[in-house]
Amino acid sequence: MCGIAGIVSRAPFDPERSEIVRRMARTLAHRGPDGEGFARLPQCDLAFRRLAIVDVEASAEPLSNESGTVTSVCNGEIYNGDELRRWLSSRGHRFRTGVDTEVLPHLYEELGVGLAQRLDGMFAFAIFDSERRLLLAGRDRAGEKPLFYWAGDGELVFGSELRALLAHPRVPRALDPVALRRYLLHDCFPAPLTPIAGIRKLPAAHVLVHREQRLDVTRYWDLADSYHAPPAPGPLDAAARELDARIAEAVRRRKRSHVPVGVFLSGGMDSTTILAHLSEQEGPGVPTFTLGHVDRAFDESRFARETARRFGADLEEVVLGPAQLEEGLRRVAEGFDEPLGDASTIPTHLLSLAASRKVKVVLSGEGGDELFAGYPTYLGDRLAEWWRAVPAAVRHTVFRAARAASPVTMGNVGLDYLLERFAASCERERLERHACWFGGLPPERHGEVLAPRVLALLSGDDPFGSVRERLRGRALRDDLSALLYLDFTLYLQDDLLTKVDRASMLASLEARAPFLDHELAEHVARLPSSFKLRGVTTKAVLRRAAARRVPPEVLRRRKRGFNIPFSRWILHGLGESFRERFARERVISRGLLAPEGVARLLDEHLSRRADHRKPLYSLLALDLWCDRTYGEAAAVPLARPASVPELEVARAQ
């Protein structure tokens, strides 16, 4: 099952409720093209769309216990489903299919609302207990699979994507101004926020219980608990050997499928490590998929070709040029259910389309950077702490000279881009600068870009509220651990995993991330920070673990990722369409942005005074979503924000 939806209300059986749930399910057809199923229950209707991965011949219907009093739907995979099935069978439970998610209603009978702690997988599930009139919903530990919900007018409405909830006629559509500001900063909507006021994302590692109109949301797992544990003793080599074995087991669990499994291959260390283990377990011929670019500055496909050749993998290469990027942007604009200011969404979706013609499941490398300290920002943090001790006059002189010597190139994460990002935020305190380095538009420019009516609703709001909330009350082992935890719970959850889920499911493809095995993540969190960032070497223990499998040239490569030449695309092709889309009259009619501020960003980019690829893409994604949600250039209704939106996650409706 790969798309779920449902409504709980007071009426025992309600024809309108059933019809609305069917309508919601139709919006999720791309997530599950292999069938749909519905359940009409007392006070609840459930629906799902199925992408058949395990027991592909099983019928498409919600799964229940023997008596039919407990019914479940689930988006994702339960990797320990076989082990749970054997345990449940030993306790007298009977199963009708081989589907992994059939364990859920039976596990609920045994463990009640605590069942999520026993699950190993990527999932978003809903279970309705007809006798107790109780709905239990939960989301996996890292946030690989999404779940949205809204409570009001005596109803609880939920679904796998925002679009499913917006198919309900009584769910409000007013935009949340606080969420909009968070989006401008982070390029995504940090959970529990969504663009729509009142609609919430269930955060990763949380469960929701709804009974008798009361809604409670609680956390059942926290990676911070492992960062609190004392660092594991022993030498780096021993830690690397154990890590290698744990990665092998994580890959073994995630290849469980009755259909072919492939690998997204960038040629970098994370994806190559996954391919090395999968090839060792399965032999040659593993289907792999990579991107090439007509723009040679962004084309790193030769590394993937060399890697695939080394492991005897079957490689398919998707070459991107202007025509392919335009088609990808069109598909993403039409298919994404919420704005996401990450331009790599486009190549990820195009790669998913190519992969879906050969396989239904791919393994990908998400989580490697957030667990092992792979981003240059972690080195930047240490440099910034040293740099802040240098006299201000010296700092400013050095930056002016460096900028003069490094003209804006609009290249693939070049030195000029990194220097500009570093200089813009290096003097902030640690959490704020880290958020700005990862994000799009820093808070000091929000006043330029947001419309006065939006700013009027943001009085007293802390733009870094979502960042501070992630770390509130958590005394992590050291500064690096705090940043890794922040990135795991915000950037990974709300940007990267959102991107991969939507981009792949839009192509009816399931993506699984071995590095996000929760036991592996806990183990890595317990390792000393010096095993991750060792001098200027990032991912030290992973490099050591991969050394006997991965070619040395792969280990030496600088991190790039699936980037596209969006900066140059604006200069040569998109610039004029940007001017049309963000023309003064059109921006004013929309009512969210200040036309002069947007024009200033675009002019600075087109004149090569600055590389504004990130905020410009975020604004484009936002406006395209508004077109689809509210109408072409239509005015967007605004809601008055709650005082502390981050804390709404644990409140009853």
Side-chain angles (χ1 to χ4, degrees):
M1 306 179 188
C2 283
I4 66 174
I7 300 175
V8 181
S9 64
R10 296 186 180 94
F13 292 97
D14 183 351
E16 184 202 25
R17 184 179 69 211
S18 299
E19 175 54 36
I20 293 172
V21 168
R22 288 179 178 272
R23 194 184 312 157
M24 293 169 67
R26 286 195 291 271
T27 70
L28 302 172
H30 57 286
R31 298 186 72 92
D34 295 333
E36 64 179 1
F38 303 92
R40 296 186 66 195
L41 306 166
Q43 297 188 339
C44 178
D45 279 81
L46 298 174
F48 77 87
R49 300 288 315 199
R50 186 172 192 230
L51 181 67
I53 304 293
V54 175
D55 192 0
V56 295
E57 300 301 324
S59 61
E61 59 181 328
L63 299 167
S64 301
N65 62 347
E66 295 87 344
S67 62
T69 58
V70 179
T71 306
S72 69
V73 289
C74 181
N75 167 22
E77 300 291 333
I78 308 300
Y79 301 130
N80 63 337
D82 288 345
E83 296 96 313
L84 291 172
R85 183 184 296 263
R86 287 193 292 270
W87 178 71
L88 290 164
S89 296
S90 73
R91 297 181 65 83
H93 294 269
R94 300 188 304 276
F95 296 87
R96 295 181 291 106
T97 75
V99 175
D100 55 308
T101 56
E102 193 181 358
V103 302
L104 289 171
H106 303 278
L107 197 62
Y108 171 80
E109 288 185 292
E110 294 288 338
L111 303 178
V113 298
L115 70 86
Q117 297 180 36
R118 290 289 298 274
L119 299 177
D120 174 16
M122 60 172 194
F123 53 80
F125 66 80
I127 299 171
F128 190 71
D129 181 337
S130 298
E131 293 183 337
R132 298 177 64 197
R133 303 291 195 268
L134 179 148
L135 181 99
L136 169 67
R139 193 171 174 209
D140 66 74
R141 293 168 178 84
E144 292 183 75
K145 289 299 170 185
L147 189 66
F148 294 80
Y149 66 94
W150 173 78
D153 296 334
E155 294 181 295
L156 173 70
V157 184
F158 62 89
S160 293
E161 295 187 14
L162 191 62
R163 75 179 81 228
L165 277 72
L166 294 180
H168 190 301
R170 289 184 291 279
V171 171
R173 292 175 174 240
L175 198 84
D176 184 342
V178 170
L180 175 59
R181 174 183 248 182
R182 299 289 196 276
Y183 172 76
L184 291 182
L185 174 60
H186 298 293
D187 297 331
C188 62
F189 291 90
L193 299 175
T194 77
I196 304 296
I199 298 180
R200 291 291 180 249
K201 282 185 281 194
L202 184 65
H206 282 68
V207 292
L208 175 156
V209 177
H210 181 270
R211 187 183 186 192
E212 297 177 351
Q213 304 305 310
R214 176 177 173 82
L215 188 155
D216 292 298
V217 177
T218 57
R219 179 185 287 275
Y220 67 87
W221 180 85
D222 195 344
L223 189 60
D225 295 336
S226 297
Y227 280 113
H228 288 160
L236 180 61
D237 284 337
R241 287 192 296 271
E242 181 175 359
L243 175 62
D244 184 63
R246 288 177 177 269
I247 294 173
E249 179 58 27
V251 170
R252 186 174 292 108
R253 282 178 175 270
R254 277 147 189 80
K255 73 178 184 181
R256 180 178 183 268
S257 171
H258 294 168
V259 295
V261 176
V263 176
F264 279 164
L265 183 64
S266 68
M269 181 167 54
D270 295 347
S271 61
T272 301
T273 299
I274 291 169
L275 174 60
H277 282 284
L278 188 60
S279 296
E280 183 174 287
Q281 296 171 18
E282 295 293 306
V286 172
T288 58
F289 307 90
T290 196
L291 289 172
H293 284 278
V294 172
D295 188 329
R296 295 181 66 86
F298 287 77
D299 183 25
E300 299 187 331
S301 58
R302 66 187 183 280
F303 299 112
R305 287 194 293 270
E306 293 167 2
T307 299
R309 191 179 306 116
R310 177 185 177 93
F311 294 103
D314 177 16
L315 180 67
E316 178 167 339
E317 183 179 339
V318 178
V319 180
L320 302 182
Q324 290 77 21
L325 291 174
E326 288 181 16
E327 172 64 10
L329 178 60
R330 183 192 66 78
R331 291 184 60 89
V332 166
E334 293 176 357
F336 259 51
D337 69 313
E338 60 180 319
L340 183 63
D342 188 335
S344 65
T345 299
I346 296 171
T348 302
H349 175 58
L350 294 174
L351 192 64
S352 298
L353 274 177
S356 68
R357 301 184 187 107
K358 290 188 175 182
V359 299
K360 279 190 173 182
V361 179
V362 293
L363 305 186
S364 62
E366 277 68 39
D369 292 309
E370 294 79 10
L371 289 170
F372 296 100
Y375 295 121
T377 48
Y378 305 127
L379 287 170
D381 176 70
R382 293 185 175 181
L383 177 60
E385 288 299 298
W386 171 82
W387 185 244
R388 290 172 68 181
V390 175
V394 175
R395 295 200 304 267
H396 297 157
T397 299
V398 171
F399 277 142
R400 282 195 299 269
R403 286 168 174 161
S406 301
V408 178
T409 63
M410 307 295 182
N412 187 4
V413 194
L415 178 61
D416 62 296
Y417 184 76
L418 292 175
L419 176 64
E420 185 62 35
R421 302 283 294 181
F422 179 83
S425 298
C426 71
E427 297 188 15
R428 299 178 186 271
E429 62 91 11
R430 175 172 279 110
L431 293 183
E432 293 186 4
R433 73 171 174 245
H434 194 73
C436 290
W437 282 344
F438 268 87
L441 198 66
E444 58 267 21
R445 299 203 72 163
H446 292 178
E448 299 177 38
V449 172
L450 289 173
R453 73 178 189 128
V454 177
L455 293 172
L457 294 171
L458 292 173
S459 177
D461 173 61
D462 175 10
F464 295 101
S466 296
V467 173
R468 302 192 211 286
E469 182 60 28
R470 293 303 191 276
L471 294 174
R472 196 182 310 279
R474 293 176 174 85
L476 293 157
R477 193 163 60 232
D478 52 36
D479 293 333
L480 179 61
S481 296
L483 295 180
L484 292 172
Y485 179 80
L486 173 63
D487 291 339
F488 188 90
T489 55
L490 200 159
Y491 179 63
L492 175 69
Q493 175 188 171
D494 297 313
D495 185 315
L496 295 186
L497 294 180
T498 298
K499 172 190 71 176
V500 172
D501 174 78
R502 306 307 194 280
S504 60
M505 294 310 300
L506 192 56
S508 301
L509 179 76
E510 182 171 282
R512 303 175 179 177
F515 288 122
L516 296 182
D517 179 280
H518 74 274
E519 293 181 353
L520 174 61
E522 290 168 353
H523 171 74
V524 176
R526 286 191 293 268
L527 293 174
S529 291
S530 61
F531 281 17
K532 301 160 192 174
L533 189 58
R534 201 170 183 85
V536 297
T537 301
T538 59
K539 297 183 175 179
V541 68
L542 181 59
R543 291 179 194 277
R544 190 71 60 91
R548 74 180 184 86
R549 302 176 185 277
V550 175
E553 59 272 18
V554 172
L555 298 178
R556 291 193 296 266
R557 284 188 61 210
R558 185 163 72 90
K559 179 173 178 59
R560 290 294 180 87
F562 286 146
N563 294 321
I564 63 170
F566 189 71
S567 297
R568 299 180 184 181
W569 193 7
I570 298 172
L571 292 174
H572 309 292
L574 273 185
E576 190 55 39
S577 64
F578 255 92
R579 290 198 185 280
E580 294 174 2
R581 176 166 290 277
F582 294 103
R584 179 179 177 81
E585 297 75 13
R586 196 176 186 280
V587 173
I588 291 174
S589 68
R590 181 78 80 200
L592 295 181
L593 304 175
E596 295 81 4
V598 177
R600 190 175 301 114
L601 281 177
L602 183 58
D603 288 342
E604 288 173 0
H605 188 95
L606 292 176
S607 64
R608 293 179 176 267
R609 283 177 285 156
D611 186 344
H612 288 315
R613 67 181 82 177
K614 287 173 72 66
L616 287 175
Y617 184 83
S618 291
L619 293 177
L620 175 62
L622 173 68
D623 199 64
L624 289 168
W625 177 82
C626 287
D627 276 351
R628 194 174 69 250
T629 305
Y630 301 105
E632 174 75 26
V636 176
L638 283 176
R640 184 169 296 279
S643 57
V644 190
E646 287 83 14
L647 301 183
E648 286 185 11
V649 67
R651 294 291 177 262
Q653 175 69 33

